[in-house]
């Protein structure tokens, strides 16, 4: 025993199972075919999507049809008289004779054309209401309306009452500035005083 050397026994002996795994050959292509049969022969080339036919589109109720574009609302016509103001103190009467609007023998309404021209398309008029009776007249008012696309604008009247007539001291008339657009040829008026009402058409030409 003195001359024999003991061979060290390794505690790391490979197990039979690991030896079996190391000895097993790598799987071949045939085994892949058995394990993954669904992959074999599969093509991954993207197929173009067929376009639907006209009959399919008409039969499909879920197909949405784009609605037509809504037309934008028309731009409203600008009222040229909205921002125009002519004070009574700046009125310059013209030499044209007055236009008689109304005459009852007691109340007389005249319309005078002026030389004022705040805008090329705007005409300015001066309306006067006088009293020829010896009684006072209250609640005097005038309404004017234009026809079609014509425009008319009335400023505030100087008063709503007319003093009795006196030959020694004439009473002051009611004065009111009126503006119309250039093409206005006639106006509809409604005159009220002392619970009476008179209406008619006023020709400007």
């Amino acid at each position: 025993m003195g001359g024999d050397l003991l061979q060290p026994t390794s505690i790391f002996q490979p197990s039979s199972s690991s030896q079996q795994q190391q000895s097993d050959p790598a799987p071949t292509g045939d085994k892949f075919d058995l394990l993954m049969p669904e992959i074999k022969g599969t093509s991954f080339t993207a197929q173009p999507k067929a376009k639907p036919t006209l009959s399919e589109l008409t039969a499909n109720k879920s197909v949405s049809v784009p609605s037509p574009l809504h037309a934008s609302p028309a731009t409203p016509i600008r009222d040229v008289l909205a921002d125009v103001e002519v004070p009574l103190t700046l009125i310059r009467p013209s030499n044209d004779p007055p236009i008689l609007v109304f005459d009852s023998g007691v109340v007389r309404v005249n319309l005078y054309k002026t030389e004022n021209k705040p805008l090329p398309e705007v005409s300015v008029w001066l309306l006067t209401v006088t009293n020829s009776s010896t009684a006072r007249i209250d609640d005097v008012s005038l309404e004017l309306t234009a026809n079609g696309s014509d425009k008319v604008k009335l400023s505030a009247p100087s008063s709503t009452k007319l003093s009795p007539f006196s030959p020694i001291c004439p009473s002051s008339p009611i004065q009111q500035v009126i503006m119309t657009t250039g093409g206005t040829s006639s106006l509809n008026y409604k005159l009220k005083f002392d619970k009476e009402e008179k209406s008619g058409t006023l020709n400007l030409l």
Side-chain angles (χ1 to χ4, degrees):
M1 182 173 122
D4 295 333
L5 298 176
L6 295 177
Q7 296 295 329
T9 302
S10 174
I11 62 175
F12 300 99
Q13 295 295 331
S15 62
S16 59
S17 61
S18 62
Q19 291 178 355
Q20 180 67 29
Q21 292 177 0
Q22 293 178 2
S23 62
D24 290 341
T28 62
D30 295 337
K31 291 184 177 181
F32 276 112
D33 294 341
L34 294 176
L35 295 175
M36 303 176 67
E38 67 277 4
I39 299 179
K40 184 178 180 181
T42 302
S43 175
F44 294 94
T45 304
Q47 298 297 327
K49 187 177 180 181
K51 296 182 179 180
T53 62
L54 179 59
S55 58
E56 292 174 344
L57 290 175
T58 54
N60 187 5
K61 297 182 179 181
S62 62
V63 176
S64 60
V65 179
S67 58
L69 296 177
H70 296 285
S72 58
T75 303
I77 300 176
R78 182 177 66 92
D79 187 356
V80 296
L81 300 178
D83 300 324
V84 177
E85 296 290 344
V86 180
L88 184 59
T89 56
L90 298 182
I91 289 296
R92 304 189 308 272
S94 69
N95 295 325
D96 294 343
I99 299 174
L100 180 62
V101 179
F102 175 79
D103 188 3
S104 66
V106 175
V107 175
R108 184 181 179 93
V109 181
N110 284 325
L111 186 65
Y112 298 84
K113 191 172 184 179
T114 73
E115 295 180 353
N116 298 81
K117 206 71 175 175
L119 292 174
E121 65 271 30
V122 174
S123 299
V124 181
W125 308 78
L126 178 63
L127 185 84
T128 63
V129 184
T130 57
N131 179 17
S132 60
S133 72
T134 56
R136 191 179 74 171
I137 299 177
D138 297 326
D139 302 325
V140 181
S141 66
L142 178 72
E143 297 178 10
L144 293 176
T145 57
N147 300 313
S149 60
D150 296 337
K151 301 292 182 180
V152 60
K153 180 180 179 180
L154 287 76
S155 64
S158 60
S159 179
T160 59
K161 299 178 181 180
L162 290 170
S163 300
F165 173 76
S166 172
I168 300 176
C169 183
S171 61
S172 298
I174 295 176
Q175 297 176 319
Q176 191 170 11
V177 177
I178 298 172
M179 290 166 286
T180 62
T181 53
T184 304
S185 59
S186 64
L187 297 172
N188 301 316
Y189 72 85
K190 183 182 293 185
L191 178 66
K192 298 179 181 180
F193 58 92
D194 280 348
K195 299 181 180 180
E196 294 188 30
E197 182 177 314
K198 305 295 181 180
S199 60
T201 301
L202 169 63
N203 295 318
L204 301 179
L205 300 179

